[in-house]
Amino acid sequence: MIKLFVSVTFVIALMGLVAYGQTSSSSTTTATGTNGTTETTTTTTESTGTVTDFTPGQMMVLRTEAGEPMRYKFGKTVTYVTSDGKVVEASKIRKDSKVRVHYIKQGDDMLVDKVIVTDRD
C-alpha cells in the first residue's frame, strides 16, 4: 500500500514538471467561401520557461523543462505584463524570471508579441 502511494505521488510530481515546460497552440483558418464570406486565420502559440538571456526589444532565451533552450526574437511591438494583466516595463524582466511568451512562428523564427511574467521580485 505504501509503495502504491509513493508511486502515485511520484507520477503526479513528474507530470507537473513535464507540463511546466510545454508549449500550447491554438489556430483559426481564413477562407473565402463561394458565397463571399471570409473567415480569419490566427495562430497563437505559448511557451513557458525561465529566462536565461534577455535583450529588451531584440531577443529572449528560455530554459524549459521539455528540452533544449528556446530562442525567441521580438516582433515590432511587444507587451510585457504580470500574470494578473498589469503592464510592466521590460526592465523588470531579469535572468531567472519565470515567464510565459506568446509568439508567432514565421519561417525559422519565433516572434514574440507578449511576455507574461509569472513571478516577480
Side-chain angles (χ1 to χ4, degrees):
M1 184 68 164
I2 292 175
K3 287 182 181 180
L4 177 62
F5 177 74
V6 172
S7 296
V8 170
T9 303
F10 177 73
V11 169
I12 291 171
L14 184 60
M15 287 174 28
L17 286 174
V18 172
Y20 177 75
Q22 295 297 313
T23 301
S24 62
S25 300
S26 63
S27 63
T28 309
T29 305
T30 300
T32 304
T34 55
N35 60 0
T37 60
T38 303
E39 298 174 19
T40 304
T41 300
T42 306
T43 301
T44 303
T45 307
E46 288 186 346
S47 187
T48 303
T50 303
V51 177
T52 60
D53 194 10
F54 175 61
T55 305
Q58 293 182 9
M59 67 86 183
M60 175 181 284
V61 178
L62 294 184
R63 179 180 64 238
T64 66
E65 299 295 326
E68 296 291 319
M70 300 297 293
R71 181 182 174 88
Y72 301 90
K73 293 183 178 181
F74 289 149
K76 293 183 180 182
T77 58
V78 179
T79 305
Y80 303 91
V81 297
T82 62
S83 56
D84 58 357
K86 294 179 184 172
V87 175
V88 295
E89 295 294 320
S91 62
K92 298 292 182 186
I93 299 173
R94 294 177 171 59
K95 185 176 179 178
D96 295 327
S97 293
K98 296 194 183 331
V99 298
R100 187 170 68 234
V101 294
H102 288 243
Y103 64 92
I104 296 171
K105 185 111 167 109
Q106 196 170 62
D108 291 336
D109 295 331
M110 293 177 283
L111 299 177
V112 173
D113 63 348
K114 187 175 191 180
V115 177
I116 302 165
V117 182
T118 57
D119 75 346
R120 293 193 337 167
D121 297 331

